[in-house]
Amino acid sequence: FFGLMGLLDKNWAQLLFSILFLVAFLLITFSVVSNGYAVNFDRTVNELAIYQENLLTFSFFTGLTYLASTTVIIILSAVLLFFLIYRKRYGPVFLLMLILGGGAVLEFLVKNIVHRARPIGALVEASGYSFPSGHALKAVLFFSLLIYFFKDPIKNKIIRRLFVFANVVLVLLVGLSRVYLRVHWTSDVMGGFLLGLFWFFFSVFLYEKIWK
């Protein structure tokens, strides 16, 4: 992504990415609603996850999934919000509220339009509709914001890359935890990732075009 953004005008690259992620999200949503290939793939992965259960991995993924829970994301977002206000960075405050607030609205709307049931036999308690994964969506939005806000000020190239890599890995592991704990299908997680990436890039495009 960052390589292509270097070839194109940065703002228009952000818009291009948002469109591509939206198209991918709509395709996977159509496959889920129409019981297409995504559903068969989901069942296969779900069966494989059953054979990987043990206490160590259960504890590991339970902790990871809690990291992107609504409660934790709200607390972390509040800390980030107060930090930005303290530093008088009001533009990023606006972007933070736009991305997280808009993401919550999108999650609510899509879940209540698709009405997909969760997998049977979840290892932890979960409620509500399954598609898209709210944990995957929130993880993408929050940790992408961390990268956007704090990547460039890191002058050391190695540390900067490690910072980006660590955030990306956290997002992927959160998504994996939802499948392992059988509270979501794989396509739910993919849908959450794609919807989150669409909204993140589109919001950043609007922010840099309008606010700045």
Side-chain angles (χ1 to χ4, degrees):
F1 295 156
F2 295 112
L4 181 56
M5 288 173 69
L7 297 175
L8 301 174
D9 174 83
K10 182 180 178 182
N11 294 131
W12 293 112
Q14 291 161 352
L15 180 60
L16 173 62
F17 285 135
S18 70
I19 293 172
L20 292 175
F21 286 127
L22 177 60
V23 170
F25 170 75
L26 292 175
L27 288 174
I28 198 170
T29 302
F30 176 77
S31 183
V32 167
V33 172
S34 62
N35 288 317
Y37 292 111
V39 175
N40 294 326
F41 179 73
D42 286 338
R43 291 169 180 163
T44 300
V45 174
N46 185 261
E47 291 173 1
L48 290 174
I50 295 175
Y51 295 104
Q52 307 302 319
E53 294 177 13
N54 60 70
L55 182 59
L56 181 61
T57 52
F58 172 78
S59 301
F60 175 71
F61 283 123
T62 301
L64 275 172
T65 207
Y66 182 69
L67 182 63
S69 65
T70 300
T71 301
V72 173
I73 290 296
I74 288 175
I75 293 173
L76 294 176
S77 299
V79 172
L80 180 57
L81 178 65
F82 287 126
F83 171 78
L84 294 173
I85 293 175
Y86 174 76
R87 296 294 297 271
K88 298 182 179 180
R89 297 178 62 185
Y90 301 119
V93 168
F94 166 77
L95 181 62
L96 172 67
M97 297 175 67
L98 172 66
I99 286 180
L100 297 183
V105 172
L106 286 175
E107 178 190 349
F108 175 81
L109 290 176
V110 176
K111 279 181 180 289
N112 285 276
I113 290 173
V114 176
H115 282 196
R116 190 185 198 187
R118 293 179 182 271
I120 297 174
L123 302 182
V124 294
E125 184 178 352
S127 59
Y129 296 117
S130 189
F131 184 89
S133 166
H135 279 65
L137 173 63
K138 287 189 283 286
V140 164
L141 294 179
F142 182 79
F143 291 108
S144 294
L145 276 169
L146 289 186
I147 294 173
Y148 182 77
F149 289 152
F150 301 112
K151 174 179 69 71
D152 291 337
I154 301 175
K155 302 306 179 184
N156 186 289
K157 185 180 295 186
I158 295 177
I159 296 176
R160 182 167 63 247
R161 289 178 177 176
L162 286 174
F163 174 74
V164 173
F165 178 76
N167 280 279
V168 171
V169 169
L170 274 175
V171 171
L172 294 176
L173 287 176
V174 166
L176 182 60
S177 74
R178 303 306 284 171
V179 176
Y180 174 84
L181 296 172
R182 299 207 300 278
V183 289
H184 280 293
W185 304 102
T186 304
S187 57
D188 298 337
V189 172
M190 294 172 64
F193 284 161
L194 291 170
L195 183 60
L197 288 168
F198 151 68
W199 183 242
F200 174 78
F201 279 104
F202 184 68
S203 298
V204 170
F205 169 77
L206 292 178
Y207 167 70
E208 295 195 353
K209 275 293 185 182
I210 298 174
W211 183 281
K212 287 188 174 181

